Amino acid sequence: MTAKGLTLTRHILLEQRAHPAATGELSTLLAQIGLAAKIVARAVSRAGLVDILGVTDEINVHGEEIKRLDEYANQTFINVFGHSGLVCTLVSEEMEKPRHLPENCAQGKYILFFDPLDGSSNIDVNGPIGTIFSIHHRMSGHQHETPKEWLRVGTDQVAAGYVVYGPGTILVYTAGAGVHGFTLDPTIGEFLLSHENIRIPARGKTYSINEGNSALWQPQTRTFVDYLKEPDAGTGRPYSSRYVGALVADFHRTLLHGGIFLYPGDIKKPQGKLRLLYEAAPLAFVVEQAGGRAGTGTERIMDIRPTDLHQRVPLLIGSSEDVAMAEAFAQSRTKPGPQMRK
Ligand code: AHM
Ligand code: MG
């Protein structure tokens, strides 16, 4: 049992003690993610100044054009992990191909998958945004990496998590021993333990989906959402609707309060919108470690072996009972029977 207020680095080191064979590299890697998150958080907090002042410090110092924040966040991760000796390859939503860091490959045991700035359309309206990350071991015997190295099943993840840049900056991670959240104290520049051993409620009171797409939904999605809206005090319905439009923010609320987030396949986008390797799989690892569930409607997210680096998957994620119920609807051909209405 650890205490609130521990720094992220100290917490990671304490977790490492449970693995006597650990070399400390994973701990250093997670701490470096914390560093990248702080750099991105600083830029995010000043994003509004770009319109007012027309410049940022980055321009003044480096004489470069203003970069879009998502490019800036991506470059931050490249800078932080370049010459770190930790990560041989970076796979990012912002980069079509994996980015090799050959200087790290002699000793770097890991591959980092990440979405540097998720929900970036929220920047203009000062809404919450985030970063998502997923860490895999490099596969042994692969001196020269092949696509097999990057197309990894979620159950192989060593650690995963996300950062929310909201009213505060919160970093949440799992290394397979529970889920822990840290809030950035900007006055000392440290992430401090604020949410120890997060457990998602088995059932929630909210659903989160882009209802603007409802005309394109599969009938099963419509039936499920209609069901959640039907008043029934016995099952806590109607559920409330919440949708930020930034996956990390919608997921973070769902993790803390319970409920379900859905980005299903529809007529226009049969595979939905969200990407498997650096959006769905890491959040699935986190939610399962917190006692929740994540699937496509027919398959567990963590079991999907990707065939493409930027592959999309339908995502139903959140409280175990809510997601199980959504899956029962997704798999039903007809209107669900009364057993689902309990
Ligand atoms: P992004 O990674 O390019 O920002 O896109 C992913 C975002 C998610 O954060 C969010 O859940 C989803 O897109 C919202 O999509 P929509 O506007 O279709 O509801
Ligand atoms: Mg994204």
Side-chain angles (χ1 to χ4, degrees):
M1 183 59 85
T2 47
K4 279 198 173 187
L6 269 187
T7 64
L8 173 64
T9 316
R10 180 96 187 103
H11 187 272
I12 292 168
L13 288 172
L14 285 174
E15 276 223 332
Q16 187 192 316
R17 277 199 199 159
H19 305 278
T23 58
E25 285 161 277
L26 179 63
S27 302
T28 311
L29 201 167
L30 287 165
Q32 288 298 97
I33 287 176
L35 171 63
K38 282 189 252 183
I39 296 170
V40 174
R42 184 184 59 183
V44 166
S45 69
R46 294 180 304 170
L49 295 176
V50 173
D51 279 346
I52 298 165
L53 304 176
V55 293
T56 66
D57 284 350
E58 288 75 43
I59 293 167
N60 288 342
V61 172
H62 302 293
E64 293 169 350
E65 290 287 307
I66 296 173
K67 286 181 178 166
R68 288 168 57 225
L69 260 182
D70 40 12
E71 288 167 0
Y72 176 83
N74 192 55
Q75 192 58 46
T76 298
F77 274 77
I78 294 171
N79 294 347
V80 164
F81 285 100
H83 298 279
S84 65
L86 296 165
V87 168
C88 184
T89 306
L90 297 172
V91 173
S92 163
E93 178 178 320
E94 290 295 317
M95 302 187 290
E96 195 192 336
K97 294 189 173 150
R99 170 77 171 241
H100 291 286
L101 302 171
E103 71 275 16
N104 293 338
C105 291
Q107 73 263 46
K109 289 197 300 203
Y110 296 102
I111 299 183
L112 177 63
F113 298 80
F114 64 109
D115 180 356
L117 215 59
D118 178 66
S120 46
S121 61
N122 267 5
I123 295 168
D124 291 348
V125 295
N126 200 29
I129 46 186
T131 294
I132 310 174
F133 60 90
S134 164
I135 299 165
H136 282 259
H137 275 298
R138 290 174 69 200
M139 291 164 80
S140 55
H142 284 263
Q143 294 305 317
H144 302 289
E145 293 186 330
T146 62
K148 205 176 156 197
E149 186 85 39
W150 318 311
L151 302 177
R152 305 292 288 276
V153 65
T155 48
D156 275 357
Q157 290 174 98
V158 178
Y162 61 87
V163 185
V164 196
Y165 310 102
T169 298
I170 293 188
L171 186 152
V172 174
Y173 88 95
T174 182
V179 178
H180 311 288
F182 301 79
T183 302
L184 180 63
D185 181 340
T187 62
I188 56 170
E190 289 278 8
F191 280 105
L192 302 176
L193 182 63
S194 51
H195 301 70
E196 190 179 12
N197 199 18
I198 298 170
R199 303 297 298 167
I200 184 170
R203 194 166 194 162
K205 296 187 176 71
T206 59
Y207 70 95
S208 188
I209 188 169
N210 185 342
E211 298 228 30
N213 293 331
S214 61
L216 305 171
W217 287 349
Q218 304 290 352
Q220 289 91 336
T221 305
R222 195 167 306 120
T223 313
F224 176 62
V225 173
D226 286 348
Y227 169 75
L228 295 179
K229 293 177 185 173
E230 272 173 25
D232 175 35
T235 52
R237 291 175 291 144
Y239 279 29
S240 286
S241 167
R242 294 282 184 278
Y243 194 72
V244 174
L247 174 63
V248 169
D250 281 315
F251 177 77
H252 187 62
R253 181 196 59 250
T254 305
L255 183 70
L256 295 186
H257 291 168
I260 183 166
F261 171 90
L262 306 96
Y263 210 116
D266 61 33
I267 294 167
K268 238 178 157 175
K269 301 187 286 283
Q271 294 306 310
K273 177 178 183 187
L274 302 173
R275 317 285 183 142
L276 175 60
L277 278 165
Y278 42 77
E279 291 181 323
L283 299 186
F285 189 17
V286 170
V287 87
E288 287 193 4
Q289 280 291 314
R293 189 174 172 107
T296 62
T298 53
E299 206 176 353
R300 181 183 173 219
I301 294 288
M302 292 276 279
D303 286 336
I304 301 173
R305 191 167 287 282
T307 51
D308 183 82
L309 202 61
H310 298 289
Q311 178 172 333
R312 298 173 197 272
V313 277
L315 179 63
L316 282 52
I317 193 166
S319 293
S320 56
E321 290 179 18
D322 289 322
V323 174
M325 186 164 58
E327 287 168 349
F329 275 79
Q331 290 164 25
S332 67
R333 293 186 171 275
T334 54
K335 207 168 159 59
Q339 72 281 4
M340 287 178 189
R341 298 180 166 271
K342 287 191 184 127

